[in-house]
Amino acid sequence: MTETLQRAIGAPLDRIEGGEKVAGEATYAYEYEAGGAVYVVGVAATIAKGRVVSVDESSVPDALAVIWHGNAPKLEQVEDGELALFQSPEVAYRSQWVAAVIAETYAAAQEAERALRIEYDADEHDVVLKEDHPRLYTPEKVNPSFPSDTDEGDFDGAFAAAEVSVDATYRTPAEHNNPMEPHATIAVWDGDGVTLYDSNQGVGPVRKAVASAFGIDPSKVRVIAPHVGGGFGSKGTPRPNVILATMAAKIVGRPAKVAVTRQQMFAVTGYRTPTIQRVRLGATRAGELIAIAHDVVEQTSTVTEFAEQTAVPTRMMYASPNRRTSHRLVKLDVPTPSWMRAPGECPGMFALESALDELARELGLDPIDLRIRNEPEIDPESGNRFSTRNLVGCLREGAERFGWKEAPRRDGRILVGTGVASSTYPARRQPSQATARAERDGSFVVQIAAADIGTGARTALTQIAADTLEVGVERVRVEIGDTRFPQAMIAGGSMGTSSWGAAVVKACRMLDARLEEELPVEVHADTADEAAGIEREPLASHGFGAQFVEVHVDADTGEVRIPRALGVFATGRIMNAKTARSQFIGGMTMGISMALLEESRMEPRFGDYLNHDLASYHVAVNADVPRIDVHWLDEVDEHVNPMGAKGIGEIGIVGTAAAVANAVFDATGVRVRDLPITPAKLVDRL
């Protein structure tokens, strides 16, 4: 590798667009100029189940138009039922958009939304998830395509014969994605084509959904999203705001602007399903796992099925000859759950890693030692070799850096304890395309329809291109976030940079071979064949990590504080030390927030989440996370992509909540199995 290569990939390069963002010059979806634009506000249902009988359009005389199922244009093909706006009188959940108002100003649209009179015919609703719900069923698959159930060996016999066992149920509440930039869309029709300025995690799926819904050729739909203010999974698929803006603009013949309010985001943009998880572990006195079972109950909506893959990480995490996992769903009168940072691994590893800690206590073993004793040589689920697996290295490195393990102690009224948990997340890639062009002035332009949702993707791709071309980063310009660029994988599943970077590497290598030709020269690369990996050995590819947490618990109030946390990760080659550190810290912060604060509270009588704003839905702030340290092991995994990288966007949140819960038990002797760990759950038990 040349000196240029060593300086680019891995270097703590500042974000390419950082200056624009700090100066307020980066344009987000709702900020684009659209002459003569109208404002559109979705109207939320005030019943949890039933149907719309009538809409009194005369109640909003200042509105340019009111859209509801009685007058809405019929949509063509809509795969996601949440996008079938105003196609039926049925109300599937409270706060579902059942109408919309269009006005000259946003204030007028808000006033019209409040004044619009809608008559409903309400039915009895069911919104409470229960482990014994009579309508539980087994989905055909869990996200994205895993089998719902697995059963290897003889779990029942092995568990009954185990010398030591744990049988515990863990619960996680509904949690809502709250990116800084709410979902927003501006739609501008020009003849039979439409341009959408939209906040999303991938312009391609938005184009596909709009083209399908409105029956137009995808080439007639352009989606633009160069800057996105966060997503955490909620913008991974198109949301109703996209359809509403497109429909409204078509109806009035003018550009239409839709911004989902913070309160509405708790209904129409997805969330993490609540889970009820039973984990059973059986082991020998020496700490060898001989039986593992992980059974999950979670919810979906009556609109569209979404099954979170909560028990999937248990299938490959630790060695055991007898393993069983299952997922059960119930369709409730609630919004459709969806992706939220590390779907599956995040809630699933909370339960598994908490149960491992409980087993370690029963055995009198150090929790790290128990994990190391059950380290598998091959993937227990597939039987394949791991491309790389450095969990043990993360645990040992973290133990040394953290100072593991101090005995729990009391300092006045403060109870002090420490906890540990493992992290994991799959390392994958999907086909993507990219173009690379050499200009006459010595610069290079790379184009790819990738998305930078605040992760630093644009910067990492610049570094990848510069290294491949063996030039300085100042000579490379990467353009993203536009359907006019080659199609690419969405920013999701921690495989954005892995997928996009592979396409950029291929394009830049192709371009490098043609630099002797007359400039400008442009090449196009497609990684479909490489991503398929048909001729490669099938390998199990995952990132791993270890989370260490110290907690201080006030014995009088039950308040939990976290003075320090450490994450150590093995996630392949790091593309940018600065943005990677930011991603790890962000994930761990979100995990602490999950452990101590986040909870969407369902009110059964009304069938809605009560705390649908940031005043009452609490997230971690600076005072909650005073010091987080991160470290990563030197690792290169070229089995996943030519950069040797694995995804890092989600692994930071995985395991953090379990480490907090384990530390709370260490400090107090109180095991909290239902998140979040609030003072009310501790104070009477201390």
Side-chain angles (χ1 to χ4, degrees):
M1 183 175 290
T2 68
E3 288 298 312
T4 303
L5 293 181
Q6 292 175 341
R7 283 198 302 270
I9 286 183
L13 183 68
D14 290 344
R15 293 172 189 263
I16 298 297
E17 80 288 4
E20 289 180 78
K21 289 182 174 177
V22 171
E25 296 169 352
T27 306
Y28 292 84
Y30 204 69
E31 300 172 332
Y32 282 88
E33 291 292 332
V38 298
Y39 295 82
V40 191
V41 173
V43 181
T46 56
I47 63 171
K49 183 181 181 181
R51 59 207 55 81
V52 173
V53 175
S54 65
V55 173
D56 182 3
E57 298 182 42
S58 66
S59 62
V60 287
D62 292 333
L64 296 175
V66 176
I67 317 173
W68 61 295
H69 80 267
N71 63 12
K74 295 304 176 184
L75 299 177
E76 300 290 336
Q77 298 181 354
V78 181
E79 294 182 4
D80 181 353
E82 291 283 3
L83 302 185
L85 279 185
F86 320 135
Q87 301 301 292
S88 163
E90 299 301 314
V91 177
Y93 56 86
R94 186 179 288 269
S95 296
Q96 181 181 21
W97 282 352
V98 293
V101 292
I102 308 173
E104 291 284 357
T105 67
Y106 182 60
Q110 284 184 304
E111 180 63 28
E113 181 265 336
R114 289 190 291 265
L116 186 66
R117 291 196 293 269
I118 301 177
E119 181 183 353
Y120 298 95
D121 181 10
D123 294 334
E124 292 293 323
H125 59 265
D126 181 4
V127 296
V128 179
L129 179 66
K130 298 179 290 187
E131 57 262 58
D132 59 351
H133 199 288
R135 295 201 308 275
L136 286 174
Y137 69 97
T138 304
E140 290 186 8
K141 63 179 182 178
V142 293
N143 178 60
S145 57
F146 293 106
S148 293
D149 296 359
T150 58
D151 195 351
E152 297 289 337
D154 177 17
F155 170 80
D156 291 330
F159 186 73
E163 295 174 312
V164 180
S165 62
V166 168
D167 184 346
T169 298
Y170 305 87
R171 299 171 185 267
T172 60
E175 299 165 341
H176 278 82
N177 321 54
N178 273 288
M180 186 178 294
E181 180 196 19
H183 296 61
T185 308
I186 300 176
V188 183
W189 282 90
D190 183 8
D192 60 351
V194 62
T195 298
L196 302 168
Y197 303 93
D198 181 63
S199 183
N200 58 64
Q201 291 176 225
V203 292
V206 175
R207 175 175 61 183
K208 179 181 177 182
V210 170
S212 178
F214 290 88
I216 57 179
D217 190 283
S219 65
K220 298 289 187 178
V221 181
R222 184 184 181 189
V223 184
I224 299 172
H227 300 289
V228 180
F232 307 114
S234 68
K235 298 174 183 174
T237 59
R239 300 300 181 183
N241 51 285
V242 174
I243 301 299
L244 178 55
T246 307
M247 183 183 290
K250 187 75 169 176
I251 289 172
V252 299
R254 294 165 59 180
K257 304 181 72 170
V258 175
V260 182
T261 67
R262 183 65 63 183
Q263 291 78 11
Q264 290 175 337
M265 284 177 61
F266 283 78
V268 299
T269 61
Y271 62 100
R272 196 192 303 281
T273 175
T275 70
I276 303 170
Q277 306 178 54
R278 183 186 182 190
V279 179
R280 287 170 287 174
L281 304 176
T284 65
R285 284 286 175 191
E288 178 188 357
L289 283 168
I290 61 172
I292 302 175
H294 192 168
D295 301 301
V296 182
V297 173
E298 49 200 22
Q299 72 189 34
T300 187
S301 73
T302 61
V303 178
T304 297
E305 181 183 274
F306 179 84
E308 185 143 341
Q309 68 276 30
T310 306
V312 165
T314 299
R315 298 173 183 174
M316 49 66 61
M317 198 63 197
Y318 300 108
S320 173
N322 306 288
R323 305 184 317 279
R324 178 186 296 168
T325 64
S326 71
H327 298 82
R328 298 294 178 266
L329 280 185
V330 59
K331 295 181 180 181
L332 299 176
D333 304 314
V334 295
T336 306
S338 186
W339 302 328
M340 186 170 177
R341 199 173 198 168
E345 278 73 14
C346 180
M349 287 290 282
F350 164 69
L352 177 63
E353 293 300 297
S354 295
L356 258 291
D357 195 75
E358 296 201 45
L359 181 62
R361 302 278 177 175
E362 291 289 332
L363 291 166
L365 285 176
D366 183 278
I368 292 178
D369 188 27
L370 176 62
R371 288 167 171 82
I372 292 175
R373 291 186 188 194
N374 291 282
E375 175 73 359
E377 294 184 3
I378 60 173
D379 177 11
E381 175 68 9
S382 67
N384 296 331
R385 291 192 306 117
F386 287 99
S387 58
T388 58
R389 181 178 168 114
N390 285 323
L391 174 59
V392 172
C394 293
L395 289 165
R396 288 176 171 160
E397 179 79 13
E400 181 177 347
R401 289 176 174 270
F402 189 74
W404 185 264
K405 157 125 183 20
E406 293 184 4
R409 67 184 190 275
R410 180 165 185 152
D411 185 4
R413 58 192 266 186
I414 301 301
L415 306 174
V416 181
T418 53
V420 65
S422 300
S423 299
T424 188
Y425 202 78
R428 299 169 292 201
R429 63 184 275 196
Q430 290 290 321
S432 291
Q433 301 175 20
T435 60
R437 185 171 68 253
E439 305 284 20
R440 291 190 179 92
D441 62 3
S443 66
F444 300 87
V445 178
V446 174
Q447 294 179 325
I448 182 170
D452 192 333
I453 59 175
T455 59
R458 182 186 280 102
T459 305
L461 293 178
T462 301
Q463 293 172 274
I464 292 168
D467 274 11
T468 308
L469 293 166
E470 300 191 40
V471 300
V473 294
E474 69 281 355
R475 292 174 60 186
V476 177
R477 183 173 81 252
V478 173
E479 298 178 349
I480 64 173
D482 194 323
T483 48
R484 289 188 175 177
F485 302 151
Q487 63 184 17
M489 167 67 188
I490 67 167
S494 289
M495 50 182 156
T497 298
S498 177
S499 304
W500 310 326
V504 168
V505 167
K506 185 174 183 178
C508 289
R509 286 175 177 171
M510 292 169 61
L511 182 64
D512 188 56
R514 296 182 55 185
L515 290 180
E516 299 302 319
E517 301 177 19
E518 183 178 354
L519 302 181
V521 174
E522 182 173 290
V523 299
H524 178 88
D526 187 335
T527 64
D529 291 341
E530 294 88 339
I534 298 173
E535 298 181 358
R536 294 199 308 266
E537 174 192 0
L539 297 171
S541 298
H542 303 264
F544 292 94
Q547 308 275 11
F548 296 81
V549 170
E550 178 182 315
V551 300
H552 290 182
V553 183
D554 190 309
D556 292 340
T557 67
E559 182 182 31
V560 180
R561 289 291 182 184
I562 299 177
R564 64 189 182 106
L566 167 69
V568 179
F569 303 97
T571 53
R573 191 173 176 212
I574 296 300
M575 297 292 96
N576 182 309
K578 180 175 289 187
T579 56
R581 177 178 171 82
S582 176
Q583 282 297 291
F584 288 134
I585 289 177
M588 292 177 66
T589 299
M590 208 165 166
I592 290 171
S593 192
M594 171 187 179
L596 301 180
L597 298 165
E598 293 194 45
E599 178 181 21
S600 299
R601 299 293 297 272
M602 174 63 72
E603 168 49 60
R605 289 181 300 163
F606 300 108
D608 200 5
Y609 294 106
L610 293 177
N611 53 332
H612 49 262
D613 55 41
L614 291 185
S616 49
Y617 182 92
H618 297 153
V619 297
V621 295
N622 286 357
D624 300 305
V625 283
R627 195 179 99 198
I628 296 180
D629 294 326
V630 296
H631 178 75
W632 50 83
L633 306 184
D634 289 332
E635 181 183 81
V636 177
D637 190 343
E638 293 182 349
H639 297 286
V640 181
N641 54 60
M643 301 88 68
K646 296 179 179 178
I648 63 173
E650 290 163 286
I651 195 171
I653 193 176
V654 179
T656 305
V660 173
N662 295 340
V664 168
F665 178 84
D666 190 57
T668 66
V670 176
R671 178 68 63 178
V672 180
R673 299 188 180 98
D674 56 325
L675 295 181
I677 305 171
T678 60
K681 294 176 182 176
L682 289 174
V683 68
D684 291 337
R685 301 167 64 186
L686 295 177

